[in-house]
Amino acid sequence: MSPEIPPVIEPKRRHRFATRLRNYFLTGLVIAGPIGITLWLTWTFIHWVDSWVKPVLPTAYSPETYLPFSVPGLGLIVAVMVLTLLGFLAANFLGRSLLSFGESLVNRMPLVRNLYSGLKQIFETVLDERGNSFKKAALIEYPRKGLWAVVFISTETRGEIARKLEGTAETVAVFLPTTPNPTSGFLLFVPKDEIIELNMSVEDAAKLIISAGLVNPELPEIAAAQQTGKKVLESAAV
């Protein structure tokens, strides 16, 4: 009786199997990549805050004195509590008086006052929920006619620049971010009639910039229509 000959795997079947394995790997990478990077950044931020706050804590108030293991995130919790308490104290009359006295001392220092006033204005603008900073994404022709760039509308032109540009077209201050790091960029003063506002949110525009155009967010109504059309086609196929 002749021995059985093992079945020969066809090249096409082997190629399909390798392609399927590659697709599975890429799908797993797409799922695990953002989760892993987010967890790593969060963990790094917690450890960075802990490294600043924990050495300042008295030994008697540190849980690590009584526990055989470290407690990550303790410094972050203490920092949040201290900042909240600081804001509470600054909200009353005594706190405002002390803050005004401290700022008057800082304003007498030639170099420090410029740095402090600039940083204070930036923090107040960014953290003020009532502000209009970066509420809209838009398109402008930059760096020349025919080329378009995504910008964030900041505010209307004010102060000396507005006075210097008086008599010209009404301008708006916009921030032109760079790719893939949107935290750096250029401040431009652009005429209003040369700005095309976008319906996408600032977050979606930031994703578009960070991904160098690879992530192209759709409008909610378009995405809903596409999803509805997909369901109709699937039901028709069934």
Side-chain angles (χ1 to χ4, degrees):
M1 185 174 181
S2 59
E4 294 183 0
I5 301 176
V8 179
I9 301 177
E10 299 179 0
K12 289 185 178 180
R13 186 181 302 174
R14 191 184 303 121
H15 177 70
R16 287 198 298 267
F17 179 71
T19 303
R20 189 174 300 175
L21 284 179
R22 184 194 64 182
N23 293 338
Y24 289 159
F25 171 76
L26 293 178
T27 302
L29 185 63
V30 169
I31 296 173
I35 297 175
I37 294 175
T38 302
L39 292 176
W40 177 76
L41 289 176
T42 304
W43 190 256
T44 303
F45 175 74
I46 291 175
H47 275 275
W48 177 74
V49 177
D50 286 348
S51 66
W52 279 86
V53 178
K54 280 187 176 181
V56 184
L57 290 177
T59 307
Y61 295 98
S62 178
E64 298 178 1
T65 307
Y66 313 100
L67 298 176
F69 54 87
S70 62
V71 182
L74 176 65
L76 181 61
I77 296 174
V78 173
V80 172
M81 293 175 60
V82 170
L83 291 175
T84 304
L85 179 62
L86 181 62
F88 170 76
L89 294 176
N92 55 49
F93 176 75
L94 180 60
R96 288 196 299 268
S97 301
L98 292 176
L99 185 61
S100 299
F101 175 73
E103 288 184 344
S104 64
L105 293 179
V106 172
N107 289 332
R108 297 176 185 176
M109 303 177 185
L111 297 178
V112 178
R113 64 186 178 190
N114 296 331
L115 178 62
Y116 172 76
S117 61
L119 290 175
K120 182 183 177 183
Q121 190 171 5
I122 291 174
F123 272 82
E124 288 178 346
T125 303
V126 173
L127 298 179
D128 188 4
E129 297 179 354
R130 297 166 298 178
N132 298 320
S133 58
F134 295 167
K135 291 289 183 68
K136 280 280 189 179
L139 288 174
I140 64 169
E141 285 189 290
Y142 183 90
R144 63 170 176 82
K145 291 289 185 180
L147 297 183
W148 296 89
V150 178
V151 297
F152 300 131
I153 299 177
S154 177
T155 181
E156 294 184 357
T157 307
R158 301 171 183 170
E160 181 184 359
I161 297 178
R163 291 193 297 270
K164 295 292 185 180
L165 296 178
E166 192 175 1
T168 62
E170 189 176 359
T171 58
V172 175
V174 300
F175 176 70
L176 173 64
T178 56
T179 301
N181 179 19
T183 59
S184 63
F186 306 95
L187 172 64
L188 305 175
F189 296 93
V190 185
K192 270 188 174 182
D193 56 0
E194 296 183 10
I195 296 177
I196 302 177
E197 293 188 3
L198 300 175
N199 292 324
M200 70 173 64
S201 63
V202 174
E203 291 78 10
D204 288 340
K207 293 176 185 177
L208 179 66
I209 294 168
I210 294 173
S211 66
L214 296 177
V215 177
N216 195 359
E218 293 285 355
L219 294 177
E221 55 271 18
I222 296 179
Q226 290 178 347
Q227 190 68 20
T228 303
K230 185 179 179 181
K231 291 181 180 179
V232 171
L233 290 177
E234 290 177 353
S235 61
V238 173

